[in-house]
Amino acid sequence: MSQTPDAPPHLDAGRVSTAPGLFVCFEGGDGAGKSTQVRLLAEFLDRDGRDVLVTRQPGGTTLGAQIRELVLHGDHVSPRAEALLFAADKAHHVDELIRPALSAGRVVITDRYTDSSIAYQGAGRELGGEEIRQLQHWAVGGLLPDLTVVLDVSPEVGRARRGDVQDRLESETDDFHHAVRRGFLDLAARDPDRYVVVDASLPPEEIRARVLARLEEVLEERR
Ligand code: TYD
């Protein structure tokens, strides 16, 4: 059946398996509190006896750290170059770190992944969500998370939490960050089985409990 422009391919199309590992991703606007939740989940799974790899994008590898510096702290980068740099980081990251860890049966938790590019470059930079989804999908060879946690934060709250030191993306306008927020929520709405959206203004322990409850369901489905 052919796709109409209004009905983009399902996010699952061409997805590859993460087995025997488990792949969890945290997404959300700047200042959503992802790092805290990544740490809390990693500690919980670690205590549960799981072998956990925590990583972040951009970054996580030597090349990734260099790309991170260029794209977040360098001079102006044209939007398409920015999209390609984020895609290059992910391609390298998946090949070098994430896929080998999943193949070894580890749990991989990443602070940001493909959805960040769909939201920031696709929606925020207006390069087109579907084009960026295809670019990212190609870069990661169809490897998508078993569960994506979207920590939903308003641009105003995110800005207040971030404080004064801002990188290239963080210092964008509130309109940009509103578009990014909508980008994340649209992705979650399109694939509710693979997402959980949590209000980032809740207390960290409450967020953690909701994430764990949803992860339990995902694990149950895989049994
Ligand atoms: P993050 O690591 O959350 O920043 P911080 O170190 O302040 O916690 O994210 C870095 C920035 O990169 C963030 O503003 C979002 C942006 N980004 C994209 O625009 N596209 C992407 O594909 C990724 C992974 C991040």
Side-chain angles (χ1 to χ4, degrees):
M1 204 169 61
S2 67
Q3 299 279 349
T4 68
D6 294 328
H10 192 264
L11 300 176
D12 257 5
R15 168 185 216 120
V16 302
S17 170
T18 59
L22 178 74
F23 190 17
V24 182
C25 165
F26 282 80
E27 295 280 15
D30 292 285
K34 288 179 287 86
S35 342
T36 304
Q37 291 303 321
V38 165
R39 181 175 50 75
L40 291 175
L41 181 63
E43 284 170 3
F44 175 84
L45 293 172
D46 193 50
R47 279 198 301 275
D48 200 37
R50 305 236 179 197
D51 185 4
V52 183
L53 170 74
V54 172
T55 188
R56 71 165 178 179
Q57 317 217 353
T61 63
T62 307
L63 177 62
Q66 289 169 334
I67 294 176
R68 183 179 179 91
E69 199 50 37
L70 282 176
V71 80
L72 295 185
H73 303 292
D75 294 336
H76 170 71
V77 181
S78 85
R80 283 169 192 267
E82 182 182 285
L84 290 168
L85 285 168
F86 280 118
D89 166 67
K90 293 207 189 65
H92 188 70
H93 205 121
V94 164
D95 283 346
E96 296 297 309
L97 224 60
I98 297 181
R99 212 187 291 273
L102 293 172
S103 301
R106 303 180 73 185
V107 179
V108 177
I109 306 176
T110 181
D111 187 334
R112 299 197 181 279
Y113 193 55
T114 51
D115 289 358
S116 276
S117 203
I118 301 171
Y120 281 80
Q121 282 69 55
R125 295 277 188 238
E126 300 181 12
L127 290 173
E130 187 46 31
E131 282 85 343
I132 299 296
R133 191 194 67 78
Q134 287 176 17
L135 172 67
Q136 288 283 318
H137 199 270
W138 180 82
V140 302
L143 183 74
L144 298 179
D146 298 293
L147 177 65
T148 296
V149 180
V150 174
L151 296 182
D152 182 39
V153 68
S154 73
E156 295 77 15
V157 170
R159 188 173 296 282
R161 281 186 181 176
R162 288 197 299 273
D164 289 340
V165 185
Q166 314 235 19
D167 64 37
R168 278 185 56 250
L169 278 303
E170 286 170 341
S171 55
E172 282 295 337
T173 61
D174 277 359
D175 281 352
F176 176 94
H177 288 285
H178 276 293
V180 167
R181 182 187 194 187
R182 274 195 305 278
F184 283 126
L185 294 177
D186 285 351
L187 286 167
R190 274 170 63 186
D191 197 3
D193 289 352
R194 304 280 180 182
Y195 282 80
V196 60
V197 179
V198 186
D199 178 351
S201 65
L202 290 169
E205 275 308 316
E206 174 64 29
I207 297 176
R208 173 180 170 274
R210 292 188 188 198
V211 171
L212 279 179
R214 188 70 185 85
L215 186 61
E216 254 320 305
E217 290 172 4
V218 169
L219 289 171
E220 194 53 47
E221 281 161 25
R222 282 173 56 139
R223 274 178 204 126

